Amino acid sequence: MHLQKSVNMSTAAAAPSAPAISCGLGKQQRRRLAAFDFDHTIVSQNTDTVVRDMLPNELISSKALTDLMESECWTEYMAEIFRLLHAQQVQESRIRDVIRCIPEVPGFVRLIKHLQKRLNFDLIIISDSNSVFIDEWLRAHNLSDSFKAIFTNPANFDEHGQLQVRPHHQQTDCKLSASNLCKGRVLEHFVIEQDLRFNIRYDHVFYVGDGNNDICPVLRQRACDFACARQGFAMEKHLIKNRNKLKLRAQLLIWRNGFDLLEQMCALPQLQGHSIESHNLETEIARRASTAATAASSAPPEQ
């Protein structure tokens, strides 16, 4: 698991156009897969903009940065942000501290652990953040061993302490995706590779996201799969508005937080592999936690 994760993150730009094929001997394994976006899905903020906001406002709003952001090459934009942070003598330790302190979307740590340990899911992340940010946050929340693979923009701190980031890949085929990351291609490739190389076939694939760049992967899902869109965010609005036009085959789940999503998943007949008593207890715990999280998020801020 660690080897596969390391390869996916550090050699993303050199990903092959077709999966390597081995003999595929042995009994086929039937499993379930959950693929997660990261920003505004697992974590409650955008990791890139949180780190960008460490810069002085006059730099963030400068014409040079604004023009670069509007060029629709986000990876190049963030590379310049990291250069400016280094020029401002912002240390690696401060950047890592800021990332570790980003709160989870309520209930997502519990959701991830439950899917992996209790419901026998394979878990992956497909994100336009970067490997340094994702690794740092997962380690801080004891989730490093929870994911079978992580697909994102590879990054590292160089010998001078500057954060360097590179595109996951370069693509021009998918108009729903950024040039540096087509999440649909990544998800499709992973599922095929697991089948051909490791004889693992996924009976159900859950894709969990929030943004417009999460549309492509769910449009490639089957009728037995689940598109899980965060309520009130761009992914849900786009799918609801254009559902018939997009010809979405997957079943649509709308979630508010991790507790709510876990409750919905535990209620699905497709996941009834554990005891009724256990299911009822887990559903009730998730229901109560979801209610509490919703109430907390809608409470007026303290003056």
Side-chain angles (χ1 to χ4, degrees):
M1 180 175 70
H2 293 290
L3 177 60
Q4 184 176 22
K5 175 178 172 181
S6 175
V7 168
N8 284 333
M9 298 182 70
S10 62
T11 64
S17 59
I21 301 175
S22 66
C23 296
L25 298 176
K27 185 178 180 181
Q28 187 178 74
Q29 301 178 58
R30 308 304 293 256
R31 296 180 61 81
R32 303 156 177 152
L33 174 68
F36 293 88
D37 174 43
F38 192 68
D39 293 341
H40 292 296
T41 296
I42 293 176
V43 298
S44 63
Q45 296 169 274
N46 183 309
T47 48
D48 282 339
T49 58
V50 166
V51 171
R52 179 196 64 187
D53 290 346
M54 299 172 74
L55 286 172
N57 288 333
E58 58 268 22
L59 277 180
I60 297 174
S61 58
S62 68
K63 185 179 186 303
L65 270 184
T66 302
D67 289 347
L68 193 55
M69 181 171 62
E70 292 175 353
S71 71
E72 298 184 358
C73 187
W74 186 258
T75 310
E76 289 183 14
Y77 172 75
M78 287 309 302
E80 179 62 13
I81 292 292
F82 299 148
R83 187 192 69 79
L84 291 171
L85 284 166
H86 184 256
Q88 293 284 311
Q89 298 185 333
V90 177
Q91 300 297 310
E92 173 183 345
S93 58
R94 280 190 59 203
I95 294 175
R96 291 185 181 275
D97 285 344
V98 165
I99 292 296
R100 283 196 298 269
C101 290
I102 298 175
E104 65 167 323
V105 171
F108 260 78
V109 171
R110 183 176 185 275
L111 169 67
I112 288 165
K113 291 181 177 179
H114 190 93
L115 292 181
Q116 182 203 19
K117 296 177 181 179
R118 300 291 299 276
L119 296 181
N120 201 31
F121 269 73
D122 286 342
L123 308 179
I124 64 173
I125 289 173
I126 311 175
S127 168
D128 203 8
S129 179
N130 67 69
S131 57
V132 168
F133 292 173
I134 294 174
D135 265 353
E136 190 66 36
W137 196 91
L138 292 179
R139 279 202 308 270
H141 293 79
N142 298 314
L143 294 174
S144 295
D145 294 331
S146 297
F147 292 92
K148 191 179 185 74
I150 296 176
F151 302 91
T152 189
N153 301 304
N156 65 283
F157 284 95
D158 65 21
E159 65 273 17
H160 305 294
Q162 180 176 330
L163 185 55
Q164 304 286 348
V165 64
R166 301 172 299 284
H168 174 81
H169 57 216
Q170 292 288 353
Q171 68 88 27
T172 56
D173 298 333
C174 179
K175 303 307 179 185
L176 293 172
S177 305
S179 61
N180 65 294
L181 178 62
C182 173
K183 295 184 176 184
R185 180 201 291 184
V186 170
L187 179 61
E188 205 168 54
H189 184 278
F190 176 81
V191 170
I192 293 171
E193 182 180 52
Q194 293 299 296
D195 187 8
L196 296 181
R197 292 188 63 187
F198 306 109
N199 226 4
I200 296 172
R201 182 160 297 180
Y202 294 112
D203 291 329
H204 306 287
V205 176
F206 291 73
Y207 185 88
V208 186
D210 72 283
N212 281 321
N213 65 351
D214 297 311
I215 300 296
C216 177
V218 302
L219 294 183
R220 304 190 188 209
Q221 289 183 295
R222 306 160 297 177
C224 59
D225 295 332
F226 295 84
C228 308
R230 188 175 184 184
Q231 186 176 65
F233 284 70
M235 178 185 179
E236 181 221 11
K237 293 176 182 178
H238 191 79
L239 289 177
I240 294 296
K241 181 180 178 181
N242 303 289
R243 188 168 188 174
N244 292 332
K245 178 182 176 182
L246 294 172
K247 298 179 181 179
L248 179 69
R249 290 174 294 175
Q251 301 174 64
L252 183 60
L253 299 181
I254 307 298
W255 56 272
R256 300 184 304 274
N257 52 61
F259 302 116
D260 170 48
L261 182 55
L262 178 58
E263 179 184 356
Q264 293 187 60
M265 292 178 71
C266 285
L268 293 171
Q270 294 91 333
L271 301 190
Q272 299 309 305
H274 51 313
S275 70
I276 296 298
E277 293 80 3
S278 174
H279 161 68
N280 290 340
L281 177 60
E282 291 155 2
T283 301
E284 178 61 17
I285 291 173
R287 185 190 67 78
R288 293 184 182 184
S290 175
T291 301
T294 302
S297 64
S298 60
E302 294 182 3
Q303 300 298 318

